[in-house]
């Protein structure tokens, strides 16, 4: 699908503007990744979201739900109009992903650190079942402060789950500020390589680079892969990029005007 | 149908853990989706027999209970039926958010076996002694919470939950329990079992307290006090119909549990009677932490005895 990244950005902004607030920062930083996964890599069937042969995605950083919802709608999992119901009472699109509500959502997430274990469980089940489906999961860099992530990664390495690719959205910010100021993590590539995980870093906004990293990950035998994506939180929204308060934003009238301009500009590029 | 043994209840020869390994091995022969998971307590629960029979569907996760619950969630997403065992406090308190969200809220299918119910944790002491696991698990919407009364029941319940989708918590004593039921008895989740009729008072009990309740009833009978005994292994869903009937047909209900009286069976019975005029007294751990000691010492220490049940009944009749 051409310009999928731009289309996803447009839909994210529209749905958050409609609501007036939302998790814009962490949604915008994973757009290129989702465009590559759903545009080029993953085997999915929008008409049959529970297809047993599909590849799985667990968005462990569940607050980036709006980015995934936009992607799923563009892929045809549900009508685009549904995007406008984000966070409305009784919506099927809650802030954080819910597998029981939204077609195409493989796991309920939102309590950080838990999605990674579930993704490992899906990958383990697929191995036990002798199948070849692939499992992708996206964690935040801040999320890696949760100890459960390290339980899951140790397990995945020990069980050689090479059908699993973990993406770390290293956007360097968490809700309260820079990740390095709150609890520094050091070089994640070095760290995870010592965990016996095939780990690489790549530009998280360069779709060609992402694709290449995934292709390499998928042919690395006996090791799960970690791809650390160097990203910018709120990428594409210039006035919020790297703003310390961009995790969850309640937009001012001026900001809404600016956001609408971004949509117009992106639309003109399609 | 469940049939109470005719002879005087005595410790069963068969350990609860033996039943776990044997019954699950048998079930896994038929059901290829069953996976047993341990967090480095295979030795304690003696599941080696299962592991040897089904090495491809046994996972010793390592000492990581939170991850084990998430892993179970992932297995369930793929249609497998995970049975997760660890000690009760680690199965519930330690990994509560994982059980609550990744399994409960996510609407997935998993069977959690919490061993060493209450004081049966004995010499492992306060860190390993769950007096709150039932309370925690009751707070998860749609979860089924059961406490096993003996090994005959455990065998039947394992078979039932294998074929029932949803989150089940099964609290067990690991070693020998008093055998209450004849081999082959069948049990219905949601239905309490009347073991003894009595119109003066009734004891609603779970787990090791059922044997104490039977003893108390026996003793009181000698004094002309007729006390019924109900096995309420199904704490959620509770048999509210039976509880309400008992409140109407007897003067006093005494609950007896190897658990904090806050949040467990006693609380559940009281909640069921909010609209029914009744008198309910709770025997159980009175909001205390666990400690080390042999089980008979702990039973006295926390007043989990027939003697205490008798005292409460006499004081309140």
């Amino acid at each position: 699908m051409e310009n999928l990244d731009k289309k996803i950005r447009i839909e994210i902004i529209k749905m958050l503007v409609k609501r007036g607030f939302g998790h814009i920062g962490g949604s915008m930083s994973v757009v290129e990744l989702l465009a590559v996964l759903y545009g080029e890599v993953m085997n999915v069937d929008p008409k049959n979201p529970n297809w047993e042969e599909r590849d799985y995605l667990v968005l462990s950083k569940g607050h980036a739900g709006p980015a995934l919802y936009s992607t799923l709608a563009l892929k045809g999992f549900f009508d685009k109009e549904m995007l406008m119901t984000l966070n409305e009472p009784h919506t099927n699109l809650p802030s954080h992903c819910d597998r029981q509500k939204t077609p195409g959502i493989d796991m309920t997430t939102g309590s950080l650190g838990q999605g990674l274990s579930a993704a490992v469980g899906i990958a383990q089940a697929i191995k036990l079942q002798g199948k070849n489906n692939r499992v992708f999961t996206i964690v935040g860099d801040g999320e890696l402060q949760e100890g459960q992530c390290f339980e899951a990664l140790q397990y995945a390495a020990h069980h050689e789950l090479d059908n699993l690719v973990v993406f770390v959205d290293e956007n360097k910010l968490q809700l309260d500020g820079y990740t390095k100021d709150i609890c520094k993590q050091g070089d994640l590539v070095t760290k995870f390589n010592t965990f016996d995980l095939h780990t690489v870093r790549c530009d998280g906004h360069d779709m060609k680079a992402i694709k290449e990293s995934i292709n390499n990950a998928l042919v690395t035998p006996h090791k799960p892969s970690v791809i650390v994506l160097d990203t910018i939180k709120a990428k594409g929204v210039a006035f919020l990029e790297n703003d310390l308060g961009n995790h969850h934003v309640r937009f001012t009238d001026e900001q809404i005007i600016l956001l609408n301009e971004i949509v117009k500009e992106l639309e003109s590029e399609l | 149908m469940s049939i109470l043994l005719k002879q005087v209840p005595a410790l069963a020869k068969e350990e609860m853990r033996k039943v776990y390994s044997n019954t699950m091995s048998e079930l896994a022969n038929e059901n290829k989706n069953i996976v047993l998971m341990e967090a480095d307590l295979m030795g304690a629960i003696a599941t080696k027999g299962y592991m040897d029979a089904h090495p491809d569907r046994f996972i010793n996760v390592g000492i990581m209970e939170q991850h084990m619950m998430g892993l179970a969630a992932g297995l369930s997403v793929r249609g497998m039926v995970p049975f997760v065992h660890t000690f009760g406090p680690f199965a519930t308190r330690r990994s509560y958010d994982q059980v609550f969200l990744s399994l409960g809220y996510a609407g997935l299918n998993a069977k959690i076996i919490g061993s060493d119910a209450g004081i049966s944790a004995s010499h492992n002491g306060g860190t390993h002694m769950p007096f709150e696991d039932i309370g925690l698990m009751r707070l998860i919407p749609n979860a089924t919470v059961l406490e096993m009364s003996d090994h005959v029941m455990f065998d039947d319940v394992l078979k039932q939950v294998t074929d029932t989708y949803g989150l089940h918590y099964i609290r067990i004593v690991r070693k020998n329990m008093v055998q209450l039921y004849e081999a082959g008895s069948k049990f219905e989740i949601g239905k309490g079992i009347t073991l003894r009729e009595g119109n003066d008072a009734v004891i609603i009990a779970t787990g090791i307290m059922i044997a104490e309740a039977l003893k108390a009833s026996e003793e009181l009978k000698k004094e002309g006090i007729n006390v019924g005994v109900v096995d309420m292994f199904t704490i959620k869903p509770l048999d509210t119909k039976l509880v309400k009937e008992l409140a109407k047909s007897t003067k006093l209900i005494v609950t007896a549990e190897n658990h904090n009286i806050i949040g467990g069976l006693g609380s559940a019975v009281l909640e069921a009677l909010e609209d029914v005029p009744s008198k309910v007294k709770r025997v159980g751990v009175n909001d205390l932490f666990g400690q080390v000691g042999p089980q008979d010492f702990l039973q006295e220490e926390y007043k989990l005895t027939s003697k205490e049940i008798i005292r409460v009944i006499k004081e309140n009749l």
Side-chain angles (χ1 to χ4, degrees):
Chain A
M1 202 187 291
E2 222 179 313
N3 292 321
L4 183 55
D5 55 327
K6 287 179 181 139
K7 289 174 182 163
I8 296 170
R9 281 220 158 77
I10 291 168
E11 296 305 328
I12 296 172
I13 296 175
K14 281 186 180 168
M15 71 196 294
L16 294 180
V17 163
K18 168 85 191 326
R19 192 82 291 117
F21 55 85
H23 289 108
I24 190 163
S27 291
M28 294 305 242
S29 56
V30 295
V31 167
E32 281 77 11
L33 171 60
L34 290 172
V36 172
L37 283 174
Y38 283 88
E40 304 177 55
V41 175
M42 285 173 66
N43 264 325
V44 289
D45 178 1
K47 298 291 162 246
N48 184 9
N50 297 322
W51 179 42
E52 281 204 9
E53 305 302 318
R54 74 187 183 278
D55 293 333
Y56 288 75
L57 175 73
V58 177
L59 183 60
S60 194
K61 45 171 286 183
H63 54 277
L68 183 50
Y69 300 154
S70 301
T71 311
L72 293 172
L74 288 161
K75 281 287 285 186
F77 280 85
F78 49 82
D79 288 341
K80 248 168 49 175
E81 289 72 60
M82 198 165 109
L83 294 175
M84 293 300 116
T85 70
L86 177 78
N87 280 335
E88 272 180 5
H90 295 129
T91 184
N92 285 319
L93 300 179
S95 238
H96 301 87
C97 298
D98 188 328
R99 62 177 287 278
Q100 299 193 94
K101 289 194 189 300
T102 319
I105 294 295
D106 287 321
M107 183 58 197
T108 301
T109 52
S111 182
L112 294 177
Q114 295 193 26
L116 187 46
S117 284
V120 169
I122 297 169
Q124 177 67 82
I126 288 163
K127 288 277 183 190
L128 292 175
Q129 293 164 335
K131 299 284 188 176
N132 295 312
N133 319 42
R134 289 106 31 113
V135 182
F136 303 95
T137 182
I138 308 173
V139 298
D141 51 354
E143 181 177 8
L144 287 173
Q145 288 160 0
E146 293 280 6
Q148 190 183 349
C149 295
F150 290 85
E151 295 184 357
L153 291 172
Q154 286 180 82
Y155 180 97
H158 180 84
H159 292 267
E160 301 185 357
L161 301 177
D162 52 13
N163 54 349
L164 174 75
V165 182
V166 180
F167 300 97
V168 179
D169 176 21
E170 195 180 41
N171 62 29
K172 298 146 203 87
L173 276 165
Q174 56 192 103
L175 192 147
D176 276 336
Y178 286 107
T179 303
K180 68 175 166 48
D181 293 337
I182 289 169
C183 190
K184 67 176 179 189
Q185 301 182 305
D187 177 33
L188 292 175
V189 175
T190 310
K191 198 176 237 176
F192 292 137
N193 271 320
T194 64
F195 271 64
D196 227 1
L197 300 155
H198 165 74
T199 311
V200 296
R201 184 184 298 279
C202 99
D203 179 345
H205 301 303
D206 177 344
M207 297 207 282
K208 227 178 114 199
I210 297 171
K211 175 89 186 290
E212 210 177 283
S213 303
I214 296 174
N215 286 343
N216 289 334
L218 291 173
V219 295
T220 304
H222 307 301
K223 279 188 181 190
S225 292
V226 179
I227 300 176
V228 180
L229 298 166
D230 186 359
T231 58
I232 295 166
K233 197 158 177 173
K235 170 75 176 173
V237 184
F239 66 90
L240 286 177
E241 280 183 15
N242 292 323
D243 181 302
L244 285 182
N246 70 10
H247 182 80
H248 181 277
V249 182
R250 199 166 278 276
F251 307 118
T252 62
D253 292 347
E254 293 77 43
Q255 286 176 329
I256 286 178
I257 293 167
L258 291 171
L259 286 165
N260 287 332
E261 280 171 11
I262 294 170
V263 169
K264 250 187 234 159
E265 201 180 314
L266 285 167
E267 280 174 342
S268 74
E269 292 169 16
L270 294 181
Chain B
M1 222 188 92
S2 52
I3 309 161
L4 187 64
L5 274 182
K6 296 263 179 333
Q7 70 257 38
V8 180
L11 271 191
K13 281 190 211 82
E14 210 151 11
E15 290 188 328
M16 297 291 279
R17 56 186 171 186
K18 194 83 195 150
V19 169
Y20 185 50
S21 186
N22 289 349
T23 305
M24 291 316 301
S25 295
E26 215 177 281
L27 288 168
N29 287 334
E30 300 294 317
N31 187 329
K32 301 296 175 201
N33 285 319
I34 288 173
V35 180
L36 241 66
M37 295 157 82
E38 293 285 347
D40 199 36
L41 284 176
M42 183 184 81
I45 193 75
T47 36
K48 192 174 176 304
Y50 174 94
M51 183 186 75
D52 291 342
H54 304 284
D56 53 333
R57 281 178 291 135
F58 176 86
I59 307 174
N60 200 334
V61 174
I63 310 168
M64 29 186 160
E65 292 81 8
Q66 295 96 313
H67 171 62
M68 178 161 67
M69 298 306 173
L71 195 69
L75 292 172
S76 170
V77 166
R78 281 291 296 178
M80 304 199 90
V81 185
F83 278 75
V84 180
H85 163 262
T86 181
F87 287 154
F90 312 140
T92 59
R93 200 171 67 217
R94 185 183 187 107
S95 48
Y96 194 53
D97 194 42
Q98 286 75 13
V99 174
F100 194 100
L101 291 176
S102 286
L103 292 169
Y105 179 65
L108 291 168
N109 183 29
K111 318 302 162 194
I112 300 174
I113 316 295
S115 72
D116 281 9
I119 57 167
S120 74
S122 189
H123 293 294
N124 274 331
T127 51
H128 289 54
M129 195 169 285
F131 291 151
E132 65 295 314
D133 53 331
I134 299 274
L136 289 168
M137 295 304 291
R138 279 182 67 223
L139 279 170
I140 303 177
N142 302 322
T144 298
V145 183
L146 311 171
E147 174 154 6
M148 294 301 93
S149 311
D150 73 359
H151 71 280
V152 176
M153 177 187 281
F154 191 30
D155 173 68
D156 182 50
V157 163
L158 286 171
K159 289 169 182 160
Q160 288 189 46
V161 299
T162 297
D163 297 325
T164 312
Y165 190 95
L167 179 59
H168 289 80
Y169 179 65
I170 305 171
R171 185 189 214 226
I172 61 164
V173 166
R174 237 184 329 141
K175 298 179 185 168
N176 313 66
M177 286 190 85
V178 169
Q179 182 172 357
L180 298 169
Y181 300 103
E182 271 184 25
S185 291
K186 301 283 173 220
F187 302 86
E188 191 179 339
I189 292 171
K191 292 274 178 238
I193 305 154
T194 301
L195 299 177
R196 207 163 276 182
E197 308 267 358
N199 47 18
D200 290 322
V202 65
I203 308 160
I204 302 179
T206 45
I208 61 166
M209 295 308 288
I210 298 168
E212 297 301 316
L214 289 168
K215 256 189 265 174
S217 165
E218 202 66 39
E219 287 296 316
L220 288 165
K221 199 169 151 193
K222 293 176 195 159
E223 301 179 34
I225 304 170
N226 285 318
V227 178
V229 177
V230 168
D231 175 352
M232 192 57 81
F233 73 100
T234 170
I235 301 157
K236 186 182 180 185
L238 189 80
D239 190 346
T240 52
K241 188 166 165 270
L242 176 60
V243 169
K244 286 177 185 176
E245 280 167 14
L246 292 168
K248 286 174 189 156
S249 64
T250 60
K251 288 169 265 190
L252 172 68
I253 290 177
V254 175
T255 60
E257 62 193 308
N258 173 20
H259 184 277
N260 198 325
I261 54 169
I262 301 171
L265 171 73
S267 293
V269 167
L270 282 168
E271 287 160 20
L273 294 175
E274 67 177 337
D275 295 322
V276 184
S278 54
K279 188 169 183 183
V280 180
K281 291 287 164 189
R282 291 169 292 163
V283 170
V285 176
N286 200 348
D287 204 18
L288 295 164
F289 290 111
Q291 59 182 306
V292 288
Q295 192 166 317
D296 51 358
F297 158 79
L298 293 168
Q299 224 163 329
E300 291 293 333
E301 181 79 359
Y302 292 105
K303 298 199 175 86
L304 304 177
T305 57
S306 57
K307 199 169 64 186
E308 176 67 5
I309 296 172
I310 291 167
R311 188 191 67 76
V312 169
I313 290 176
K314 284 187 170 174
E315 207 173 280
N316 290 282
L317 262 187

